[in-house]
């Protein structure tokens, strides 16, 4: 019976069948909090229990990071905001379902039609959730990545980030090449097969060791809710960015696996979200990185993976 259940879950993850993998709203979740990834070597990438923070040297000061993040927000075109139904307040140790309804309500059509949002949507079904399953990387998927990166680099957000990073000598080549390397390079994550990337972990999500790893993106959270594969259990904390989006820390179950604590931006463009993570990863990796959006101060936490002499993204998320 257990073998058939695992097989069914894998098939659901690949097919994305509506309603497949959704657990009952009365299902309880063990009071465990998923530890985020720490800096690891390519020989043994894993997730380990370490409190985020770190004391790495920053290539930008706190004031410079605040200025840069506010500038990125100022040049961002933004999107019309989705509506949220937060419902009950919960905690990472809770077992009761405090949200009978999905987190996401309506999302304006103009938001989903925005070029970078639409192109990110095309990437979300390109990955195997299980970190033990080898990724099949097709030419069509490579083309989708390239179209997404090209669209990102046409935005004022990424052009502004590139100017700032070059001015501070943090990068010397093109930002597009850097984005391709740090976000889409594939690697092993706690197994023997190439099964992960920074983009998959952060923006899509993975299943590892009976729990959800990553999945810090509102677009995929909403998509999986609509398909019946994600069951929102309540919110832990909410930060309103004064009309420019929100950050919400939540508890949920995805494909029958728990995520006791996870934080996501909501109503933020792909270019702004990726630009903030990239700036923090390059300027202050493996640490809490202080940023400011619309006068709201918070941190972004990034973790790196060392791979063939270079550093790529292991995880990134808003830390509230």
């Amino acid at each position: 019976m257990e073998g058939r259940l695992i097989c069914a879950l894998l098939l659901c993850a690949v097919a994305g069948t509506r309603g497949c993998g959704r657990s009952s709203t009365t299902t309880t979740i063990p009071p465990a909090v998923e530890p985020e990834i720490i800096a690891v070597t390519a020989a043994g990438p894993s997730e380990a229990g370490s409190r985020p923070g770190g004391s790495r040297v920053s290539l930008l000061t706190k004031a410079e990071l605040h200025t840069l993040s506010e500038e990125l927000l100022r040049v961002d075109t933004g999107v019309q905001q989705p509506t949220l139904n937060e419902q009950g307040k919960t905690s990472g140790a809770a077992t009761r379902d405090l949200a009978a309804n999905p987190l996401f309500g309506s999302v304006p059509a103009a938001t989903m039609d925005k070029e970078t949002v639409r192109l990110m949507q095309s990437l979300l079904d390109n990955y195997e959730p299980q970190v033990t399953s080898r990724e099949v990387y097709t030419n069509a998927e490579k083309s989708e990545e390239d179209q997404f990166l090209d669209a990102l680099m046409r935005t004022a957000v990424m052009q502004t980030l590139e100017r700032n990073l070059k001015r501070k000598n943090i990068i010397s080549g093109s930002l597009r090449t850097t984005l391709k390397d740090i976000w889409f390079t594939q690697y092993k994550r706690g197994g023997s097969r190439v099964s992960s990337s920074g983009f998959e972990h952060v923006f899509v999500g993975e299943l590892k060791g009976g729990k959800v790893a990553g999945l810090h993106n509102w677009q995929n959270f909403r998509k999986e809710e609509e398909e019946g594969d994600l069951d929102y259990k309540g919110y832990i904390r909410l930060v309103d960015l004064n009309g420019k989006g929100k950050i919400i820390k939540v508890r949920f179950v995805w494909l029958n696996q728990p995520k006791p604590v996870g934080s996501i931006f909501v109503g933020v463009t792909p270019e702004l979200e990726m630009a903030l993570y990239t700036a923090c990863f390059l300027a202050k990796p493996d640490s809490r990185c202080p940023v400011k959006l619309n006068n709201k101060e918070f941190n972004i936490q990034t973790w790196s993976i060392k791979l063939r002499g270079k550093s790529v993204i292991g995880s990134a998320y808003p830390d509230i």
Side-chain angles (χ1 to χ4, degrees), residues 11 16 102 104 137 180 191 224 264:
L11 289 172
F104 281 89
Y137 193 37
K180 180 82 169 179
E224 293 299 307
I264 60 174

Side-chain angles (χ1 to χ4, degrees), residues 1-13 20-21 130 256:
M1 177 63 182
E2 182 180 357
R4 291 198 299 272
L5 177 58
I6 293 172
C7 181
L9 284 175
L10 291 175
L11 289 172
C12 291
C20 191
Q130 291 284 353
N256 278 347

